[in-house]
Amino acid sequence: MTRYNEPPVTREQTETTISRAAQKSVARPRPEGRLHVVHPVEMSRIVDLAGKQATIGRQVEGDLGLRHQTVSRRHLELEWDGEMGRYLARDLGSHNGSALDGVALGESTRALHHGAVLRVGDVILVFEDGRALGAEDSADVSREAVPGEAAATRVLRAQIARAASDPSPALLIGETGTGKERLAAELHRLSGRRGDLVAVNCAAFTANLVESQLLGHVRGAFTGAQGEQPGLIRSASAGTLFLDEIGELPLDLQPKLLRVIQEREVLPVGGAKAVRVDVRMVAASNRDLARHVEAGGFRRDLYARMALWEIRVPPLRERRADLLGWVRLLHGRWLSERGQPATPLRLTAEAAEKLILGEWHDNLRGLDRFVHELSDRETIISAADLPGWIKAGDAARPSAALVEPVPPRSPRVPAPTREELAETLARLGGSVRATAKHYRRDRRQIYRWLEAFGLKDRAKSED
């Protein structure tokens, strides 16, 4: 294991470490889209959408067959629109209806966006766009520390795995309550360092004692310094020092922290001799530190050093597919801490939908508050039972920009004969794009017909 008191790690060694970590990542082909069935919990699963058309219903074969009493035999259709580059959703005249982001579909057709929430009867699904689905994940990262299967969560696990074994500093950037300290603990666990994880909140430092608290001091360094104190950095020797809210660190102390990172030594307050240290630095901030640097509130050189591994921690609203799983996890922990038997927190479809659509500005702290208020309920929680602070704030519908109405579509034009296709193509000036719109098909289907009918040479070249 590389230690801070050993020779500096070379670029080649670091690249080798990164390469080995990357080889452990789980790579999968990227689908066109992905559906997470998240409610009811017993139906939970993930369905990759590889084709251009998919039907969801009670009597549909395969993973899109939702065996639930509120789902019609053929309930909802998803169709790929090549021009928009998105899936379109339309209800197939179901008995209990469908909704997108809390708005009933009715007879309209709407485009799905990344993170769209579909309600099919009382079954809730979260859609993720194929373009947002990274191929990487890591089996090394604990699913208790980083639970969930949303695309953003999988990318986060891969980043944690890559950064963990390298001794360079790591910087976690994310909104308040996103679980940055949990991630720091996982980075420390995977690092294999024999020392402890020492977590400190930079915003809580005493202004006049912050330097001695961090760097330590010798006896007599200042009034009241009766004995020598090692300070927090040396307390984390052979382990990891987690500096939470590093953006709040006073400017005059930042050069001294930079020296610790670069020289791997600490000069205690009042001391004449620097002390060697073996500490891995992990920091976190809910600020955009790059902007903080430009505003003069944070040193550029310290930011550059701390961000050798910069990991963005996504907010809950960017990993909606994981939200109900977090509710179950926090609810189980609440019961365990009180010695109560593990019983599920039961939600109606409407309540689950509102929770998933929430903005959750406090992220996991907000979910913790929700669980604390409702964990003693023995009945099924309805939308009307949700706390008022959720209804008024976090459960607001997403902006209209996220829900894109598409004019109700006319029925597909039937597949043409050779003569009909030739006539249409000629009338439209040989344009495959216009022909595709006429038949309401993807352009690739038009090319297949042209190939089959021997008409490919009649189509004009299009970008």
Side-chain angles (χ1 to χ4, degrees):
M1 182 183 301
T2 303
R3 297 296 178 191
Y4 269 74
N5 56 4
E6 293 178 356
V9 177
T10 66
R11 178 178 177 181
E12 290 76 13
Q13 289 171 322
T14 301
E15 289 177 348
T16 299
T17 301
I18 296 170
S19 175
R20 287 174 181 167
Q23 289 172 10
K24 296 180 181 179
S25 296
V26 180
R28 300 179 182 177
R30 193 184 74 181
E32 297 286 353
R34 180 173 292 162
L35 286 171
H36 298 254
V37 184
V38 297
H39 178 86
V41 63
E42 60 271 14
M43 296 181 66
S44 297
R45 59 179 176 271
I46 299 173
V47 184
D48 283 344
L49 300 173
K52 296 303 181 185
Q53 189 170 9
T55 301
I56 299 171
R58 195 175 67 251
Q59 292 190 355
V60 173
E61 296 297 323
D63 289 336
L64 289 176
L66 303 180
R67 311 292 187 258
H68 194 272
Q69 65 270 21
T70 65
V71 177
S72 297
R73 290 179 298 174
R74 295 179 73 257
H75 197 114
L76 183 80
E77 181 184 74
L78 301 178
E79 182 180 3
W80 181 258
D81 186 304
E83 296 296 324
M84 294 183 67
R86 293 188 175 187
Y87 275 102
L88 305 180
R90 70 182 184 101
D91 188 86
L92 296 176
S94 66
H95 180 71
N96 291 307
S98 307
L100 173 61
D101 290 336
V103 179
L105 279 176
E107 296 183 359
S108 65
T109 299
R110 294 183 181 271
L112 299 186
H113 60 88
H114 184 69
V117 179
L118 282 166
R119 181 155 53 86
V120 180
D122 282 348
V123 178
I124 298 177
L125 310 92
V126 177
F127 171 81
E128 292 187 319
D129 192 307
R131 289 165 292 191
L133 301 179
E136 290 185 312
D137 196 351
S138 175
D140 295 335
V141 178
S142 164
R143 270 16 183 212
E144 289 190 10
V146 193
E149 294 300 325
T153 302
R154 295 165 64 85
V155 170
L156 179 60
R157 281 196 293 259
Q159 291 178 318
I160 294 294
R162 284 197 298 271
S165 58
D166 186 73
S168 303
L171 178 62
L172 301 165
I173 299 293
E175 294 179 7
T176 182
T178 49
K180 296 185 288 294
E181 187 164 349
R182 295 169 64 97
L183 299 179
E186 186 65 3
L187 282 167
H188 174 68
R189 183 187 74 83
L190 291 172
S191 74
R193 296 183 66 80
R194 68 179 185 274
D196 294 332
L197 171 70
V198 177
V200 297
N201 186 339
C202 295
F205 280 135
T206 306
N208 60 338
L209 294 177
V210 59
E211 187 174 358
S212 67
Q213 289 172 322
L214 198 59
L215 304 177
H217 63 259
V218 299
R219 182 178 179 181
F222 50 84
T223 303
Q226 300 298 321
E228 181 178 347
Q229 291 294 332
L232 292 165
I233 293 175
R234 278 189 283 170
S235 296
S237 179
T240 302
L241 180 68
F242 175 52
L243 297 167
D244 197 10
E245 302 305 339
I246 192 172
E248 308 305 318
L249 197 66
L251 268 173
D252 58 353
L253 186 58
Q254 291 178 24
K256 298 178 181 180
L257 179 60
L258 179 62
R259 176 182 173 83
V260 174
I261 297 171
Q262 291 183 154
E263 307 299 330
R264 300 167 192 163
E265 60 183 27
V266 171
L267 181 62
V269 176
K273 183 179 180 181
V275 181
R276 297 288 291 176
V277 291
D278 169 22
V279 176
R280 200 261 174 101
M281 297 281 186
V282 175
S285 180
N286 59 17
R287 288 175 177 262
D288 183 337
L289 281 189
R291 290 187 179 182
H292 200 27
V293 167
E294 296 304 322
F298 200 81
R299 289 181 62 101
R300 189 178 303 275
D301 48 6
L302 179 57
Y303 171 64
R305 274 289 178 174
M306 287 304 310
L308 290 179
W309 291 104
E310 182 164 345
I311 300 171
R312 179 180 177 274
V313 186
L316 282 179
R317 61 184 173 275
E318 292 183 16
R319 33 181 169 153
R320 286 173 167 171
D322 297 339
L323 191 134
L324 295 184
W326 272 108
V327 170
R328 290 190 292 272
L329 179 68
L330 296 173
H331 173 61
R333 184 180 302 162
W334 189 93
L335 294 173
S336 176
E337 289 172 351
R338 290 157 180 77
Q340 298 183 25
T343 55
L345 190 66
R346 295 179 297 167
L347 304 165
T348 65
E350 290 78 10
E353 181 183 49
K354 283 184 177 292
L355 291 179
I356 297 170
L357 286 172
E359 287 297 313
W360 296 103
H361 296 294
D362 291 329
N363 292 289
L364 295 179
R365 290 196 184 101
L367 275 190
D368 229 352
R369 179 185 174 189
F370 162 72
V371 167
H372 182 79
E373 291 189 25
L374 295 179
S375 279
D376 58 349
R377 293 289 187 96
E378 296 182 359
T379 58
I380 297 177
I381 296 170
S382 69
D385 296 324
L386 297 180
W389 58 268
I390 293 180
K391 294 178 188 176
D394 277 359
R397 260 172 38 193
S399 66
L402 292 182
V403 181
E404 302 178 26
V406 178
R409 67 174 204 169
S410 57
R412 274 187 173 185
V413 177
T417 64
R418 185 183 188 281
E419 291 72 22
E420 289 170 340
L421 180 60
E423 188 277 329
T424 301
L425 188 67
R427 178 165 50 82
L428 296 173
S431 170
V432 174
R433 181 180 288 107
T435 303
K437 285 185 177 180
H438 172 78
Y439 287 108
R440 301 195 59 81
R441 302 296 205 281
D442 187 90
R443 274 186 283 174
R444 283 178 285 186
Q445 179 61 62
I446 304 302
Y447 280 117
R448 284 194 287 268
W449 286 342
L450 293 173
E451 184 81 32
F453 290 141
L455 299 173
K456 198 170 181 181
D457 58 338
R458 302 193 189 185
K460 72 177 184 181
S461 178
E462 293 181 324
D463 293 333

